Amino acid sequence: MMHRIPINLPELQIQKIENFNKQVSVTAHAKAATATCPKCKVFSHRIHSYYWRKGKDLPMSGQLTTIHVEARRFRCMNGDCTKRTFVQRFDCLPVKAQRTSRLTTILQAIAFSLGGEAGCRLAAQLQMPASADTLLRLIRKWSPPQPPTPRVVGVDDWAMRKRVTYGTIVVDLETHKPIELLKDRTSATLKNWLLEQKSIEVIARDRSGEYTLGAKEGAPQAVQVADRFHLLQNLKQMLDRLLTNSYQQIRPLLVEQKDKAEPIITRLLTSIRDTSTNERMASKASREQRLQTYQQIKQLQIAGWKIGQIARRLDINPTTVRKYFYAEIFPERNGRSAGGSMLNPYLPYLESRYQEGCQIAMQLWREIKEKGYPGTHRQVSKWMHKRRQKQQTTESNIDREIFEHTNSPIVPPPDSNALPSARQLAWLMMQSSEQLKPEKVDVLLCIQQDMQVKQIYLLAQQFIRLIQNRKAEQLDPWLKNCKNSGMAMLQNFAIRIEQDYAAVRAALETEWSNGQTEGQINRLKLLKRQMYGRAKFDLLRKRVLYAA
């Protein structure tokens, strides 16, 4: 009864099915008695000869399956045809193919989903063995279907190799599908692609000058829309530079606010970890290297070099160059602030017992353990060690840095390392006060004692609300306020907005943005990492378009 098992190969008549050595062998022959000449398209019924074809098929009951087909070779009935004989064609088993069409389709899907090596391992487990090179050939063989004519597209860059090689992705914002990957992010490449697309009406993009020029030359009829996320990102970058320059000016305010905000006992002494000699030397060497870079950038800046030119000359990230380029003084790094500890709630009791004369760590640990302390005696021992060090009259340099003079008899105030950095302050200034914790709101109020910082904060919040609520009518007054602020960075930021005024205005008046494009870039990154960073552009392009 095995020959009656239904096998969906309508062109073939199944003769027998055999099972041996955990493999299935299917023998079949063609149902059609005639065939068409592939060259002259004339039917023929004259058989020249027979031969056997062999190909792999989808597994049957989890077993490797092979099909043996008795094929015919026909004589061409057209005397004028140069092809004297021809082989009978099958849709299910193409000419010279080693597998059926349906097996090829499944292997192709595995290749697109997992790539070469991973797909090879899965196919072997599914009893459809194929080498990694075969799977990659199936990807390259696939031809993407012609996408519908796009009307609204999003354009953004993606990194083939970060900071080295970049490409461009084009997404149809109406269908939410990528429609093309371009090899680079130059204006000429985007222009050439846009010239072939006559129906594009809207182009959503970031603030890149290359994309602005490419969209203008390739699709002058299209409305350009600046992405709202990138506008806010540009604001954050400007705040970073502004606050880096003015950090030394607002730092005393932060120290004063920290002293007032911290209760007498708030931090565990042992939360400030002692640094080793090697760590201090490494930190000093790192600072000297950054200081040298800063000085080099400033020298090139005085000589008239631009940010991009300096980055290429020194072979460093343009973001680092920009940070030092606009910094009026060398921006020192703030150390990471220490976190809390489960011992903190018991510090008042430990301090009182210490003042009473009990300086035995194990005894104190047993006492606070009865009060509910869940930790081990090690933290108490560390605290005791630090507490004894505090009473000593002569200390090492690192101890003097940690335990500075304070009116508190218990713990010193947090040092400058615990202060928020310029970047953290910029992030706080981008947030709504309703979303922040009370202590973060206090930090914002503290730095706003500086009138310049207060003005920056108010203008930043106005711009954020303007973008979020899409208040296009408020853009011109805001730009005027920036120009009248007297701060060069704010004025330059307003000038750059005006240079891209039409696209920024369109971002506030239309619904389009590059959000969907950013999502497609995330998918692209996933596919690229699945290929272990060794994907050539043609393979990656096929996989991205197939996934859509």
Side-chain angles (χ1 to χ4, degrees):
M1 299 294 291
M2 290 187 65
H3 64 283
R4 296 184 181 179
I5 296 177
I7 298 179
N8 187 24
L9 295 172
E11 298 174 286
L12 302 179
Q13 179 67 46
I14 306 301
Q15 294 176 313
K16 62 179 178 178
I17 300 177
E18 298 176 320
N19 187 357
F20 60 93
N21 198 20
K22 295 184 179 180
Q23 295 186 14
V24 176
S25 175
V26 179
T27 304
H29 65 266
K31 290 182 178 179
T34 60
T36 304
C37 176
K39 188 168 185 179
C40 65
K41 307 303 179 183
V42 174
F43 277 95
S44 174
H45 61 275
R46 294 182 59 189
I47 298 174
H48 175 271
S49 58
Y50 294 87
Y51 72 101
W52 288 94
R53 292 193 60 191
K54 176 183 176 182
K56 296 177 182 178
D57 193 21
L58 293 175
M60 187 179 299
S61 299
Q63 300 177 89
L64 183 65
T65 302
T66 305
I67 293 183
H68 301 266
V69 180
E70 186 183 37
R72 303 184 182 103
R73 178 175 289 275
F74 288 87
R75 296 182 185 275
C76 183
M77 303 297 290
N78 184 0
D80 297 329
C81 182
T82 58
K83 202 169 188 65
R84 309 307 301 168
T85 64
F86 60 89
V87 176
Q88 189 175 17
R89 263 60 169 176
F90 302 104
D91 291 335
C92 63
L93 191 63
V95 176
K96 298 183 180 179
Q98 301 296 314
R99 67 186 72 85
T100 61
S101 300
R102 59 187 184 183
L103 176 58
T104 300
T105 302
I106 297 299
L107 290 175
Q108 195 175 62
I110 292 175
F112 276 112
S113 299
L114 298 177
E117 296 294 340
C120 174
R121 292 191 293 269
L122 178 62
Q125 293 181 359
L126 298 177
Q127 299 301 319
M128 297 181 289
S131 68
D133 290 338
T134 296
L135 295 178
L136 295 182
R137 281 195 295 270
L138 292 177
I139 294 178
R140 287 192 166 98
K141 187 178 179 181
W142 178 77
S143 298
Q146 186 66 27
T149 304
R151 191 180 68 87
V152 183
V153 297
V155 179
D156 207 347
D157 61 342
W158 55 276
M160 175 67 81
R161 184 180 175 190
K162 195 171 183 180
R163 301 189 184 98
V164 178
T165 309
Y166 286 83
T168 298
I169 186 172
V170 184
V171 178
D172 189 332
L173 297 182
E174 292 184 307
T175 62
H176 295 185
K177 294 181 178 180
I179 54 179
E180 189 55 88
L181 251 65
L182 306 177
K183 280 190 174 182
D184 56 45
R185 55 178 179 179
T186 62
S187 59
T189 300
L190 179 61
K191 170 189 171 182
N192 294 334
W193 184 84
L194 289 173
L195 288 174
E196 300 174 359
Q197 315 294 325
K198 303 299 183 181
S199 62
I200 293 180
E201 301 175 7
V202 178
I203 301 175
R205 55 165 176 81
D206 60 14
R207 303 291 310 289
S208 168
E210 290 290 324
Y211 289 153
T212 302
L213 180 61
K216 181 179 179 180
E217 295 180 348
Q221 78 284 356
V223 175
Q224 297 189 39
V225 180
D227 183 51
R228 292 183 287 275
F229 167 77
H230 286 91
L231 287 170
L232 295 178
Q233 190 179 49
N234 296 150
L235 176 66
K236 171 65 165 53
Q237 294 167 349
M238 185 269 295
L239 290 177
D240 283 343
R241 295 193 294 270
L242 262 172
L243 292 172
T244 298
N245 283 349
S246 59
Y247 190 78
Q248 296 302 323
Q249 180 181 342
I250 63 178
R251 187 172 182 175
L253 299 174
L254 291 169
V255 173
E256 181 182 356
Q257 187 270 344
K258 197 75 174 178
D259 292 344
K260 293 179 180 178
E262 290 285 349
I264 294 178
I265 302 176
T266 53
R267 299 170 62 84
L268 178 65
L269 291 176
T270 54
S271 65
I272 305 176
R273 185 178 65 85
D274 288 337
T275 55
S276 66
T277 303
N278 288 339
E279 288 175 320
R280 293 196 298 272
M281 291 177 61
S283 178
K284 182 179 179 181
S286 175
R287 184 188 181 279
E288 291 176 353
Q289 173 107 25
R290 288 184 283 110
L291 180 59
Q292 182 181 0
T293 302
Y294 171 78
Q295 293 170 345
Q296 290 176 336
I297 291 174
K298 283 301 180 182
Q299 291 172 0
L300 293 174
Q301 181 184 6
I302 294 173
W305 289 56
K306 303 298 183 184
I307 292 176
Q309 295 172 330
I310 297 174
R312 289 189 291 272
R313 168 70 180 273
L314 301 181
D315 193 23
I316 57 179
N317 193 326
T319 303
T320 303
V321 177
R322 188 176 292 107
K323 174 183 175 181
Y324 291 154
F325 191 89
Y326 290 109
E328 297 175 359
I329 60 174
F330 175 63
E332 296 284 358
R333 281 185 179 175
N334 274 16
R336 184 178 300 174
S337 59
S341 167
M342 65 176 67
L343 189 59
N344 282 4
Y346 305 95
L347 284 177
Y349 179 80
L350 292 175
E351 180 62 26
S352 64
R353 293 287 289 130
Y354 184 88
Q355 297 294 343
E356 292 173 1
C358 181
Q359 299 185 11
I360 303 175
M362 290 297 295
Q363 174 63 28
L364 293 176
W365 171 67
R366 283 191 290 266
E367 291 179 10
I368 64 173
K369 188 175 182 181
E370 293 178 358
K371 295 180 176 294
Y373 174 63
T376 66
H377 65 87
R378 292 182 179 179
Q379 288 291 82
V380 182
S381 299
K382 289 180 181 179
W383 178 85
M384 180 60 69
H385 175 68
K386 289 289 185 181
R387 192 64 183 85
R388 287 170 179 163
Q389 282 185 334
K390 184 176 181 291
Q391 286 189 321
Q392 297 177 2
T393 56
T394 57
E395 304 289 345
S396 64
N397 289 337
I398 184 63
D399 291 329
R400 283 196 299 271
E401 291 175 1
I402 295 177
F403 302 112
E404 295 177 349
H405 176 70
T406 176
N407 294 327
S408 168
I410 300 173
V411 291
D415 64 1
S416 60
N417 287 341
L419 299 177
S421 65
R423 180 173 295 182
Q424 291 171 331
L425 292 176
W427 181 86
L428 288 178
M429 294 179 72
M430 294 287 292
Q431 308 302 311
S432 171
S433 57
E434 292 80 9
Q435 299 174 340
L436 295 174
K437 295 180 180 180
E439 57 270 22
K440 300 298 184 183
V441 175
D442 292 341
V443 172
L444 278 178
L445 294 175
C446 167
I447 62 176
Q448 287 182 62
Q449 296 177 58
D450 185 290
M451 298 309 297
Q452 187 180 33
V453 174
K454 183 176 181 178
Q455 184 181 11
I456 296 169
Y457 174 72
L458 293 176
L459 287 172
Q461 286 294 312
Q462 289 174 10
F463 187 73
I464 292 170
R465 290 193 294 270
L466 182 153
I467 295 294
Q468 291 176 342
N469 301 325
R470 302 186 194 176
K471 299 292 185 179
E473 67 278 3
Q474 298 178 6
L475 180 60
D476 291 336
W478 185 84
L479 291 173
K480 184 177 180 181
N481 291 336
C482 286
K483 290 182 177 180
N484 296 333
S485 65
M487 286 174 278
M489 288 190 185
L490 272 175
Q491 293 169 345
N492 291 336
F493 183 74
I495 291 172
R496 288 194 295 271
I497 294 292
E498 285 186 336
Q499 291 172 348
D500 201 18
Y501 183 83
V504 175
R505 186 91 183 188
L508 303 177
E509 295 176 340
T510 66
E511 61 177 332
W512 305 111
S513 74
N514 251 16
Q516 177 60 217
T517 310
E518 296 288 350
Q520 295 295 343
I521 290 176
N522 281 341
R523 175 185 289 176
L524 184 151
K525 289 178 181 178
L526 172 64
L527 294 174
K528 182 167 69 76
R529 288 164 184 163
Q530 279 184 340
M531 302 166 85
Y532 302 99
R534 295 179 291 182
K536 291 186 178 179
F537 176 79
D538 62 328
L539 283 176
L540 185 59
R541 176 179 176 272
K542 291 284 184 72
R543 290 193 66 181
V544 169
L545 298 181
Y546 182 88

